[in-house]
Amino acid sequence: MTTLTERIVTVADLPQPPGEGDLHSEPMELSMGPQHPATHGVLQCKLILDGEKIVRIDPVMGYLHRGKEKHAEHMTYQQFFTLTDRLDYLQPLANEVGWALTVEKLAGIEVPARAQAIRTIICEFMRLSAHLVWAGIGGVDTGAVSMFMYAFRDREALFDLLDELTGLRTNQEYLRIGGVGTDLPAELIVKMKAWIADFPAHIDQFELLLTGNRIFHQRMRGVGQISAAQAIDLGVTGPCLRATGVGVDLRRARPYLLYPQLEFDVPVGTRGDAYDRYLVRIEEMRQSTRILKQLLDQLPAGDWIAKDWKNVLPPKGRVYTSMEEMIHQFKTVTDWCPPKGEVYQATEAANGELGFYLLSAGESHPYRVKIRSPSFINLQALKPMAIGAWFGDIVAIIASLHFIMGECDR
Amino acid sequence: MSPHDATPAGPGPGPAPVAAGAAPRFAAAVANPKVLRRELTLNERLFVGPFVKALWYTFTRMFRKDITRRYPEQKMEVKPTLHGVPVLVMKEDGAPRCVACGLCEFVCPPRAIDIQPGETDRPIEREPKTFVIDMLRCIECSYCEEVCPEEAIVMSTEYEVVGRRREDFVWDLKKLLKPAQELAARIAWVRKTYKRWDAAAEIAPPPGGVFRDPRWAGRERPVDSH
Amino acid sequence: MTALGAEVLPSTQDGLAAFRVGRDAWPQLAQAMKRDPQLAFELLVDVAGADFPRRRPRFEVVYHLWSLTFNRLVRVKVGVPEEDPQIASVVELWGSADWHERETFDLFGIRFAGHPDLRRILLPDGYPWHPLRKDFPVEGIDNSICYVREGGVLMTRELAVDRPAGADRTPVDLSRGDPAGFSDGAPTLPEEGAK
Ligand code: SF4
Ligand code: SF4
């Protein structure tokens, strides 16, 4: 019988400290988190320090594990949207888009152009929302507390827009299989355009506060540096990978939605340190506004949900008045079965490649869902980034990596 | 089939597949603009200039209009799109429109709804004996509203649900039933939105709060077509 | 890749090139996929387990690999039998496999031979079950047990939770874990993945 004992790294495992007379101290074990304000959620980092240097780091996670993949096997496809919302809770709608694309690919549903455009719009808004939180929290972690206020000011205004569209500020449950929940009304487009017109100036203000700030420089530059080869080996995606100079963006590499028709750049960094990750994200915010401008200026007309009698709920008026549609409604809600098959669909979320691997046995609920969450994989890079760094840098490293524990633990 | 002729994943303009062998590593990186990574200027290194500038920026914000709200006194502007807590629509006679079909109970992702159906002698002979929504579980997703075939459950504008004990959050029929006039804005929104692509599916106001097939007009109960 | 014993699978809805390979041929294939400049799958995107209780072999580990050089995504499936849920680890080739494999071990009980540090990642250490297996009920088993560490040894402790008598549960084959022999504070835990 095997015993499952935890392998705990203890001080005794470490090489002995240098001989007497040396100023080196003994290695020290330190637990950071799970309720540390700088670990962004419930992550525990078991650190072993040699003086102020980190010699070992062991992230402990799972505090937020809710068994989403197991739950998915017992929910209908539409119901699972509510759980994807709570993956990366800074960009709920982007997760929903990822799941919607997966299911639609499985069932072969054509999504009308307007719905696709609305989805692209909310994806980019979500990227902004996630990057804004990142900018705010990253500012706080490196000592720029007022940054938090400015970032959240813009995020609140952004959420006001989404609130008007979806009815909820966060965890919106807005996506439907085959389209979106409601249309994007014309007056809201005007408001969105106004917000976007203002926003680049606000990014400049963030840069005024951070980019040229000497303290910020000293906290971020050369900290948590990894090379491109290392990042690829560790499966890092998203801004953290692009900061190392690898210009891989799924919006370009495996395009989805309307991205092939849009004009935008994929900024890359040069050195792969925390400062580059900051710069890349700031530039991505600019590119997102650029995308949003293009989309809002020429939003295609048409339906916002597929005219697909087999896969989408029938128009309500007909449900009220005709028995066939009523049965149809019941059938679609309770027993909508996509064909057998399997699909892997990835989207570029704010933190990297958010993939859903879906196995369907032709039932009304998925057979198996694997969520490839970018935060979980990117978090592996914490080890090479942190080892050898100063203890004080770990906060900046965590801030620049930007993982969301809701997504890590699933 | 060898993997060399495997289709590159995804259609459209990705980085073009490069000829094998001579492939530059990470060819995708070539066309990307590098972010500007500049050294600090002397002014910035001296720190005082940018420091004062940032302080000045913060100072000027003091004279802008407030963007925050003084919440309990100053309420949020309520729009019909808002998802408050779900409530039941009351017919004119005070009974719920709901026919206890159980569709909302089925679709509710956190299983917040619990319905016990019952029978009555009225023309529409089914109604819920008990209808309970646990507001602590409800995530206000509006799925119940979207699937209800009777327009019987809609999202209200009530977003402040408070209570002292857990039982206060379990709403029963008495608490859930709201007269249709109160919910008129949301009902209008539901009708407009869930027409979906079918603008022709115009819904006439239901006689007596009950939807019926026009073909059944004048009959108490639908005649079985078999 | 067919030369290395991989069988081409019919394409599915997402049109990815998919292969199935035997458990024994997998390390060699993985080696080639990473190292061969004609293949150059630099990035291990995802490792997913899947459980098919009525199939032989019962488990399947699904790898998604991405070649950045050619922008090509493939899926490789490796079957793992229930009696000996073990497969070669690919941590040597792709560093990202580390946590992926720990997760698959955690949730499916598939062991990865050669993994440097194979322990649970999402669930508490010492948790006796592998919950993504199909015979694990969605409501969980024995929520009344918590795991505490006493003197470096993991122990279980009963929580005083009042569960209504006869609360409905999906019947489940409990021979996989042994909750009864578990609550007496014995420091050994049920055998991992044992039937
Ligand atoms: S709004 Fe959603 S969670 Fe709430 S009762 Fe309706 S279906 Fe359930
Ligand atoms: S879906 Fe509507 S009619 Fe059916 S039980 Fe729910 S509220 Fe009642």
Side-chain angles (χ1 to χ4, degrees), chain C:
Chain C
M1 272 161 75
T2 27
L4 290 161
E7 167 203 349
V8 180
L9 294 174
S11 111
T12 55
Q13 283 89 342
D14 54 2
L16 291 192
F19 300 89
R20 186 192 300 283
V21 68
R23 192 159 57 135
D24 304 326
W26 165 238
Q28 212 196 338
L29 178 71
Q31 188 80 262
M33 287 177 85
K34 170 78 195 262
R35 302 262 155 83
D36 189 343
Q38 305 279 299
L39 297 170
F41 287 98
E42 298 101 349
L43 211 147
L44 176 67
V45 175
D46 190 23
V47 179
D51 179 9
F52 305 94
R54 278 188 218 109
R55 257 196 225 167
R56 293 283 162 265
R58 174 174 166 180
F59 299 110
E60 208 164 59
V61 182
V62 187
Y63 297 85
H64 285 93
L65 294 146
W66 188 16
S67 159
L68 297 179
T69 317
F70 304 109
N71 189 21
R72 188 187 283 159
L73 190 69
V74 298
R75 172 185 301 143
V76 181
K77 294 181 168 189
V78 190
V80 178
E82 185 182 5
E83 308 75 49
D84 172 31
Q86 187 150 318
I87 182 175
S89 166
V90 288
V91 177
E92 299 278 275
L93 298 168
W94 294 282
S96 60
D98 185 351
W99 285 13
H100 277 306
E101 290 180 351
R102 274 176 70 184
E103 188 198 327
T104 312
F105 162 70
D106 191 357
L107 302 176
F108 284 94
I110 297 170
R111 294 178 162 276
F112 289 84
H115 190 287
D117 187 16
L118 195 67
R119 57 193 158 96
R120 289 187 180 264
I121 187 163
L122 293 176
L123 298 169
D125 307 294
Y127 186 76
W129 290 284
H130 299 291
L132 274 185
R133 291 186 174 193
K134 285 285 176 187
D135 43 16
F136 187 89
V138 69
E139 64 269 26
I141 304 176
D142 261 311
N143 298 322
S144 58
I145 290 179
C146 76
Y147 302 88
V148 291
R149 193 176 291 129
E150 274 171 23
V153 187
L154 275 167
M155 309 260 273
T156 56
R157 180 177 290 162
E158 292 263 6
L159 294 178
V161 179
D162 278 339
R163 222 185 299 116
D168 274 358
R169 307 219 137 187
T170 323
V172 57
D173 177 14
L174 286 181
S175 60
R176 274 159 198 287
D178 180 15
F182 201 59
S183 45
D184 58 13
T188 49
L189 297 168
E191 192 157 335
E192 279 295 322
K195 169 109 183 158

Side-chain angles (χ1 to χ4, degrees), chain A residues 74 76 78-79 81-82 86 150 153 163-164 166-168 173 176 181-182 205 208-209 212-215 217 221 232 245 247 252-255 260 265-271 273 275-276 279-280 283 303-307 309 312-321 326 329-330 333-334, chain B residues 9 11-15 26 28-29 32-40 44-47 50 53-54 57-58 61 67 76 79 81-83 101 103 106-109 111 139-143 145-151 189-190 193-198 201 203 211-216:
Chain A
H74 298 262
T76 63
Q78 179 65 45
Q79 282 176 337
F81 278 107
T82 55
R86 287 146 179 87
Y150 297 123
R153 168 197 65 191
D163 184 12
E164 206 169 326
T166 64
L168 288 167
E173 285 101 21
R176 300 288 184 271
T182 64
Q205 290 160 1
L208 168 79
L209 292 173
N213 185 307
R214 191 173 144 189
I215 301 173
H217 258 236
R221 279 196 111 144
I232 288 170
R252 287 265 187 255
R254 278 180 250 153
D265 296 333
V266 178
V268 296
T270 42
R271 302 259 295 273
D273 60 359
Y275 191 60
D276 265 348
L279 289 174
V280 165
E283 185 55 33
D303 295 333
W304 43 269
I305 192 155
K307 190 173 179 174
W309 295 91
V312 173
L313 293 179
K316 257 279 173 78
R318 299 192 185 218
V319 177
Y320 294 154
T321 51
M326 170 94 87
Q329 168 105 347
F330 272 74
V333 172
T334 58
Chain B
F26 319 128
N32 300 87
K34 291 236 177 344
V35 287
L36 181 68
R37 192 186 161 102
R38 62 183 176 84
E39 293 301 318
L40 291 181
E44 281 164 347
R45 263 183 294 156
L46 289 176
F47 191 63
K53 221 160 131 193
Y57 177 70
T58 304
R61 299 295 110 174
I67 54 155
M76 180 164 92
K79 308 181 191 80
T81 49
L82 177 81
H83 292 185
C101 70
L103 202 53
F106 175 88
V107 82
C108 180
R111 319 234 160 112
I139 52 173
E140 279 129 41
C141 63
S142 86
Y143 286 1
E145 174 194 68
E146 186 175 0
V147 300
C148 178
E150 294 291 326
E151 205 171 85
W189 184 90
V190 166
T193 304
Y194 295 136
K195 269 192 280 190
R196 302 205 169 80
W197 62 85
D198 192 0
I203 309 157
F211 290 104
R212 266 179 296 194
D213 192 314
R215 284 171 292 172
W216 303 340

Side-chain angles (χ1 to χ4, degrees), chain A residues 4 6-7 58 61-62 70 73 233-234 248 253 340 342 344 353 367-368 370 372 377 380 410, chain C residues 12-14 45-47 49 51 71 77 95-96 100 103 119 121 125 131 133-134 136 149 192:
Chain A
L4 211 160
E6 201 199 357
R7 219 171 300 160
D58 184 17
M61 50 224 262
K70 185 80 184 172
E73 294 166 14
D233 179 49
L234 288 169
V248 169
K340 267 188 191 171
E342 60 184 316
Y344 178 79
E353 173 168 353
Y367 186 80
R368 163 96 172 102
K370 166 77 207 260
R372 191 257 183 226
I377 311 303
Q380 287 196 73
R410 280 156 286 160
Chain C
T12 55
Q13 283 89 342
D14 54 2
V45 175
D46 190 23
V47 179
D51 179 9
N71 189 21
K77 294 181 168 189
S96 60
H100 277 306
E103 188 198 327
R119 57 193 158 96
I121 187 163
D125 307 294
R133 291 186 174 193
K134 285 285 176 187
F136 187 89
R149 193 176 291 129
E192 279 295 322

